[in-house]
Amino acid sequence: MTAATVSSELAANGRNIRPGRVITWTLLLIGGLIMVTPLLYMFSTSLKTAGQVYDLRLIPAAPTLDNYIRVVSDGRFLRWFLNSTFVALAVTVSNVFFDSLVGYTLAKFEFRGRYFVFLAILSTLMIPTEMLVIPWYLMSSQLGWIDSYWGIMFPGMMTAFGTFLMKQFFEGVPNDFLEAARVDGLNEFTIWWKIAMPMVTPAISALAIFTFLGNWTAFFWPLIVTTSRELYTLPVGLSSFAVEQSIQWEMIMTGAALATIPTLLVFLLLQRYIVRGVMLAGLKG
Amino acid sequence: MAKIELQGLVKEYGRTRVVHGIDLAIEDGEFVVFVGPSGCGKSTTLRMIAGLEDISGGTLIIGGEVVNQREPKQRNIAMVFQNYAIYPHMTVGQNIGFGLYTSKLPKAEKRKRIEETGKILGLEALLDRRPAALSGGQRQRVAIGRAMVRDPVAFLFDEPLSNLDAQLRGQMRIEIKRLHQRLGTTVVYVTHDQIEAMTMADRIVVMKDGHILQVGTPSDLYENPVDMFTARFIGSPSMNLLPGSMASGKLTVEGATWSGGTVSGTGEVRVGVRPHDLEVAETAGSGLSATGPVVAVEPLGAETLVHVEVGGETVIATAPGRVVPPIGSSVTVAAPTGSLHLFDVATEKALGRA
């Protein structure tokens, strides 16, 4: 191929691709800005004093860390932060354990009604949370779970989505591995734990990340089920800044900025798993 | 070590019967190969012996005890799978040691056994590696190691060499055979490759459609196949089968001449002749001879396989390595008396030799 043909081909490619690319990049840029702007304003407002909040300049005239000091030194924030951490971690561990266990059973064991059970689990995905809140509340109140950690956590301890995701993944684990372990004398639980689980680590990480983030930011149910301030999770606690006295935007934004830190950390550290997880959820779902 | 007895063993999936009550006694220390085409029930039978499939009917006896209802782990057998089934998240040493997971041996003893097994299989330098860093042959050795380390009463192999390339397959065949000679443990080996069966087995079990067609030593099966299927399945290249008929002691073979004496029986037959018995000859001698055009040649070095059209059928004959007849030329092929196999057309059963 001569240099002339190469350059003419490149030019042809360039002509073919350029208009589409321009549109794509423009849309992505606009999308990116829409996503990032509130985040930037959140950080910016957290560095402003109460008087400067409605001064909409992105870079504060006199940036201050006072808000951060106030929020952190206020014992309530730390308590809510720990509550959220505990709830999100406990629900994540529970999800990984139970979703995997049920997903594995549905994927690898033949039993009567297996398909029906799977459909029943799957069908719960079609019921919106808003509809479930009342039965959850009634159940919690009858069982004495209102205003307790257990009450906050129980609806999310196992999810249909997680079960579905894990089932799809376990189906990809060749039976030979499990049978080899069976011949080697392992019991079914150990086979699941020692052999099958390590083979689906990408799915486990995806599930863990999604569950953690989802529970870290959960607002609606924790708000309903908790009454005492000590049990508030971070989002519920932050919202209480808005109803006390007047809306303290700078405090809300400072709290929100601090609350974003674990999310950002999770994202930065586990970025590749998240991207993979999104792809998996897309492909497998 | 143990004798394995299959008595009227049946496997049914719903209403479909896939193994039809087979009987077989595998002697202690014997190397038995199940061979047959895909779906013939050989793997299912192996899995029933392993305890991975429920037995629908009949009795399975290992070491003198009925084990129909026993879990795989209670049978003390070890199995090597087609795709090796070595765990990617464990090192070679951990994989081999996994066979001892439920064993109550002291740690030092386990370690010693793992090292010994690694040494026997030439894996001692690789014990800390992950399976991803191993070649296909090494992976298969790890799988065998995991089976060996437990000192089981029998080894079950389910098409263990199918995923290897031809050269490695040949090498591993010899290794498994030598290992068997060294350990003396009963081996049940499943393959669809008749060469593996012929080269490794003490006895071969030919299966088709869930039935055992024939059990015998490799030479038994090669020399005296009981039916057309076994005749064609055992031996490479496959046995040539030509249409023919018998009447008043005379054998007529379509497109060929028979001068080998009288035969008993009447009716239509299939005349089988192994390619290695059918040689490209200068002149027709006593026995079967035919002349026809060469349609293809496969020079293999030591010999040449010559495809010749005889009576409308293509037969494979052999010629010495340096003889490569040109395609289209006419050659005479001949097989000596006593090398022909006669089969009944209707039942496909062997009628005898001619």
Side-chain angles (χ1 to χ4, degrees):
Chain A
M1 197 182 281
T2 65
T5 53
V6 170
S7 63
S8 72
E9 265 190 25
L10 281 176
N13 282 342
R15 265 202 305 278
N16 287 339
I17 288 164
R18 207 163 283 156
R21 279 223 161 162
V22 169
I23 295 169
T24 312
W25 283 105
T26 313
L27 286 176
L28 284 174
L29 198 66
I30 294 170
L33 280 175
I34 292 173
M35 299 277 187
V36 168
T37 310
L39 211 62
L40 290 177
Y41 269 102
M42 177 185 76
F43 282 115
S44 153
T45 311
S46 72
L47 298 172
K48 291 174 184 172
T49 59
Q52 294 173 313
V53 166
Y54 293 101
D55 170 7
L56 291 181
R57 267 180 296 184
L58 199 55
I59 297 164
T64 168
L65 288 173
D66 280 358
N67 298 328
Y68 284 89
I69 295 161
R70 269 177 68 199
V71 165
V72 174
S73 58
D74 183 340
R76 290 177 305 171
F77 179 84
L78 194 66
R79 173 77 198 222
W80 298 336
F81 194 93
L82 290 176
N83 283 349
S84 272
T85 310
F86 171 69
V87 167
L89 280 179
V91 173
T92 303
V93 169
S94 160
N95 260 282
V96 167
F97 185 83
F98 289 110
D99 293 354
S100 305
L101 200 58
V102 176
Y104 176 73
T105 309
L106 289 171
K108 291 295 176 190
F109 289 90
E110 297 278 339
F111 55 90
R112 206 179 283 267
R114 174 171 82 149
Y115 188 61
F116 176 77
V117 171
F118 178 58
L119 276 189
I121 292 174
L122 211 57
S123 64
T124 61
L125 278 176
M126 290 157 206
I127 306 169
T129 313
E130 289 75 4
M131 258 180 75
L132 292 168
V133 163
I134 295 168
W136 284 346
Y137 190 86
L138 291 175
M139 199 170 127
S140 306
S141 105
Q142 275 160 14
L143 294 167
W145 291 347
I146 299 280
D147 209 22
S148 70
Y149 285 118
W150 183 243
I152 304 172
M153 294 187 300
F154 88 90
M157 296 299 262
M158 205 189 128
T159 62
F161 170 74
T163 309
F164 175 69
L165 182 79
M166 296 314 292
K167 175 189 174 281
Q168 298 305 98
F169 261 82
F170 280 120
E171 276 177 356
V173 174
N175 284 334
D176 282 3
F177 286 111
L178 315 176
E179 290 181 340
R182 226 160 263 156
V183 173
D184 281 341
L186 271 71
N187 63 39
E188 292 303 328
F189 186 83
T190 321
I191 293 173
W192 167 71
W193 183 245
K194 284 262 176 193
I195 308 297
M197 284 293 265
M199 291 194 181
V200 293
T201 38
I204 294 176
S205 19
L207 178 64
I209 292 162
F210 288 141
T211 313
F212 184 86
L213 294 182
N215 279 278
W216 183 261
T217 52
F219 176 71
F220 193 41
W221 175 247
L223 176 72
I224 292 169
V225 82
T226 51
T227 49
S228 48
R229 288 179 153 274
E230 295 75 52
L231 279 175
Y232 280 180
T233 56
L234 204 47
V236 179
L238 288 179
S239 75
S240 72
F241 282 140
V243 285
E244 275 175 8
Q245 306 118 22
S246 59
I247 301 177
Q248 296 172 286
W249 282 116
E250 75 288 359
M251 296 300 280
I252 293 179
M253 289 305 152
T254 309
L258 286 171
T260 335
I261 291 170
T263 319
L264 284 177
L265 276 181
V266 166
F267 188 77
L268 288 176
L269 294 177
L270 306 174
Q271 197 172 18
R272 63 200 178 103
Y273 292 108
I274 293 179
V275 173
R276 206 193 292 171
V278 171
M279 271 161 36
L280 298 176
L283 288 172
K284 295 269 173 179
Chain B
M1 282 182 265
K3 184 175 175 179
I4 302 173
E5 291 169 77
L6 284 61
Q7 298 174 350
L9 215 58
V10 171
K11 179 65 193 173
E12 284 167 347
Y13 292 109
R15 286 186 186 168
T16 318
R17 187 171 273 212
V18 293
V19 175
H20 299 262
I22 58 174
D23 295 291
L24 181 72
I26 300 164
E27 297 302 327
D28 188 5
E30 200 177 11
F31 197 126
V32 167
V33 176
F34 281 73
V35 70
S38 300
C40 70
K42 57 189 191 300
S43 279
T44 310
T45 307
L46 190 80
R47 291 167 58 79
M48 282 198 280
I49 298 174
L52 295 170
E53 294 280 353
D54 291 334
I55 296 170
S56 313
T59 311
L60 174 67
I61 301 169
I62 298 177
E65 291 178 60
V66 177
V67 296
N68 283 39
Q69 300 300 326
R70 291 207 189 155
E71 292 291 315
K73 60 182 168 190
Q74 297 165 323
R75 301 186 184 195
N76 195 19
I77 35 96
M79 187 156 167
V80 177
F81 292 82
Q82 182 176 351
N83 70 5
Y84 325 130
I86 52 173
Y87 310 122
H89 54 286
M90 297 181 192
T91 63
V92 168
Q94 286 169 329
N95 261 292
I96 293 176
F98 208 75
L100 296 171
Y101 189 81
T102 52
S103 147
K104 292 192 171 57
L105 285 175
K107 253 192 178 169
E109 176 67 17
K110 282 188 182 178
R111 175 105 221 121
K112 204 175 128 203
R113 278 219 202 171
I114 294 168
E115 279 166 6
E116 271 172 17
T117 309
K119 212 167 165 188
I120 292 172
L121 294 168
L123 295 167
E124 65 265 54
L126 307 171
L127 289 179
D128 293 324
R129 286 218 198 149
R130 297 255 172 182
L134 303 182
S135 69
Q138 288 169 333
R139 285 179 203 189
Q140 191 52 274
R141 264 186 232 136
V142 176
I144 294 170
R146 198 173 62 202
M148 264 173 64
V149 75
R150 216 148 41 88
D151 201 13
V153 296
F155 287 117
L156 309 181
F157 288 89
D158 190 4
E159 310 214 12
L161 308 184
S162 306
N163 289 355
L164 303 179
D165 63 53
Q167 197 184 355
L168 206 52
R169 211 156 40 208
Q171 198 183 323
M172 287 303 291
R173 273 203 311 256
I174 303 298
E175 280 190 34
I176 293 175
K177 182 86 185 154
R178 282 178 54 189
L179 204 64
H180 172 249
Q181 280 159 359
R182 179 176 176 156
L183 302 173
T185 313
T186 313
V187 173
V188 186
Y189 189 107
V190 160
T191 179
H192 61 263
D193 180 351
Q194 60 90 25
I195 295 179
E196 266 173 44
M198 294 290 280
T199 51
M200 299 169 88
D202 291 330
R203 275 194 304 158
I204 298 176
V205 179
V206 181
M207 286 190 74
K208 190 189 172 205
D209 299 334
H211 294 277
I212 290 180
L213 295 184
Q214 190 171 2
V215 182
T217 63
S219 59
D220 249 1
L221 263 60
Y222 187 79
E223 294 296 338
N224 304 304
V226 295
D227 60 11
M228 255 155 62
F229 177 81
T230 310
R232 283 192 65 81
F233 200 79
I234 300 292
S236 175
S238 286
M239 183 186 275
N240 298 302
L241 287 169
L242 291 164
S245 61
M246 296 191 295
S248 30
K250 246 185 87 182
L251 175 68
T252 319
V253 184
E254 249 176 64
T257 322
W258 171 250
S259 59
T262 56
V263 288
S264 58
T266 53
E268 289 206 4
V269 289
R270 282 263 161 184
V271 180
V273 55
R274 295 223 175 260
H276 290 103
D277 290 327
L278 187 67
E279 291 178 347
V280 174
E282 297 282 314
T283 52
S286 150
L288 185 82
S289 62
T291 303
V294 176
V295 291
V297 283
E298 295 178 74
L300 300 176
E303 62 179 8
T304 303
L305 301 179
V306 185
H307 298 240
V308 185
E309 207 169 289
V310 172
E313 307 247 349
T314 303
V315 297
I316 302 175
T318 44
R322 289 184 185 82
V323 179
V324 183
I327 291 171
S329 65
S330 179
V331 292
T332 299
V333 291
T337 311
S339 66
L340 301 195
H341 301 254
L342 303 178
F343 299 99
D344 188 289
V345 170
T347 63
E348 300 198 348
K349 296 279 177 209
L351 297 170
R353 304 284 291 260

